[in-house]
Amino acid sequence: MVIRRIIVPSLLYLILTVIGLLFLIPLLWPVFASINPNAQLTLTLPTAPNLSNYIDIISNGLVIQPFMNSLIMAVSTMVLVILLSGLAAYPLSRYQFPFKAQIMYLILFASALPILALVTPLYAMYVVLNLQDTLLGCILFFTASSLPFSIWLMKNFLDSVPLELEEAAWIDGASILGSFTHILLPLAAPGIAVVGVWSFLGAWTNFFVPLIILQNQDLLPASVHIYTFFGAYGQVNYGQLAAYAMLYALPAVLLYTFVSRFFVKGVSGGLKG
């Protein structure tokens, strides 16, 4: 029995380690290629690693404008989704009213709709509203497409916060808005972290929607600009492409690192319902 208790967990950890390394190997290429001036498609260790690829793409103006466009869209989407999903989830969590169950099922159904199927009628609507070729049009689309699942997550997480805490604040003279701001929101920090990361990554990594809506090259986000990198500059410089990819991944990694202590708790709390 003792041998089994030692061998079985050790074998399991070994298998998981091998699987983890298999997932890690493809990520080594952009890391090594970004610091290799002579990078190729094959995974090779750089003989003289340096930051020339990063310096070149930054000095050539290939980073600042696309990344600023992506940040504007992603941060604006994140703020709007957190605000709107919180305001929508609060009454769904705290009050009983007619057709509440039907509304929740409708929200759940909307979160399962294939977003790409809506792009064509959306573009036609944007033409009428004069929102095509604008960052605002992309932000509104990202916000609307992220809201159903975000409302569902936020509502389920708010359900886990005891109502007695708000009632105690009401007895002490706090308003509904005051209890929501000072009691519920601090306790809902993990849920807000999940919704924030979810909406930020959805806007930051989206490729197809900006490609359809935006025609002005100065408005293209990094997710689309990295695609044009292949054809716009002749032969592909894999070192610069890898450096661009590393910089593109950096904001998402930093955001997740910043909220990681809330993220796991928020996912488990938000999915219980």
Side-chain angles (χ1 to χ4, degrees):
M1 293 295 294
V2 176
I3 297 178
R4 181 179 297 178
R5 291 178 182 178
I6 296 175
I7 293 179
V8 174
S10 300
L11 184 60
L12 179 60
Y13 286 131
L14 179 61
I15 294 174
L16 293 176
T17 302
V18 172
I19 295 175
L21 290 175
L22 291 176
F23 279 100
L24 183 62
I25 288 175
L27 300 179
L28 294 178
W29 181 85
V31 174
F32 290 148
S34 66
I35 56 177
N36 185 1
N38 302 314
Q40 299 297 326
L41 278 176
T42 56
L43 178 61
T44 56
L45 291 175
T47 56
N50 58 64
L51 300 178
S52 61
N53 292 321
Y54 292 95
I55 296 173
D56 289 341
I57 62 174
I58 293 175
S59 61
N60 292 338
L62 302 179
V63 172
I64 297 178
Q65 190 61 49
F67 276 60
M68 284 300 300
N69 295 336
S70 292
L71 280 176
I72 291 172
M73 291 192 296
V75 173
S76 300
T77 300
M78 180 178 65
V79 172
L80 286 174
V81 170
I82 290 175
L83 178 63
L84 296 177
S85 64
L87 293 176
Y90 182 78
L92 291 172
S93 173
R94 289 298 190 254
Y95 298 105
Q96 298 296 329
F97 50 86
F99 306 109
K100 176 181 175 179
Q102 288 79 359
I103 292 176
M104 289 301 302
Y105 285 125
L106 181 62
I107 293 174
L108 184 62
F109 172 76
S111 66
L113 287 175
I115 301 301
L116 295 182
L118 305 177
V119 171
T120 300
L122 176 80
Y123 185 81
M125 182 183 70
Y126 272 21
V127 171
V128 174
L129 298 177
N130 200 26
L131 287 174
Q132 83 280 8
D133 203 22
T134 62
L135 294 181
L136 177 61
C138 291
I139 292 170
L140 293 177
F141 182 89
F142 294 148
T143 301
S145 60
S146 299
L147 271 177
F149 188 67
S150 298
I151 292 173
W152 186 267
L153 275 180
M154 189 71 80
K155 186 266 180 188
N156 289 334
F157 191 85
L158 294 181
D159 287 343
S160 65
V161 179
L163 181 60
E164 290 78 8
L165 296 176
E166 286 187 273
E167 292 175 342
W170 297 337
I171 293 174
D172 291 337
S175 63
I176 295 178
L177 181 60
S179 64
F180 176 76
T181 304
H182 300 291
I183 303 296
L184 200 58
L185 287 185
L187 295 175
I192 294 175
V194 172
V195 171
V197 172
W198 165 267
S199 55
F200 181 92
L201 292 181
W204 181 263
T205 60
N206 196 291
F207 166 78
F208 192 72
V209 173
L211 180 67
I212 297 299
I213 295 178
L214 302 176
Q215 286 81 43
N216 189 340
Q217 295 293 318
D218 294 333
L219 296 179
L220 293 180
S223 58
V224 179
H225 195 263
I226 195 174
Y227 167 75
T228 61
F229 200 93
F230 284 91
Y233 307 103
Q235 186 177 0
V236 178
N237 187 319
Y238 291 106
Q240 293 184 7
L241 179 62
Y244 193 100
M246 293 297 295
L247 292 177
Y248 177 58
L250 186 60
V253 173
L254 292 177
L255 177 64
Y256 180 79
T257 302
F258 180 72
V259 301
S260 59
R261 62 193 182 107
F262 300 115
F263 195 81
V264 174
K265 183 179 177 182
V267 170
S268 61
L271 294 178
K272 282 182 180 178

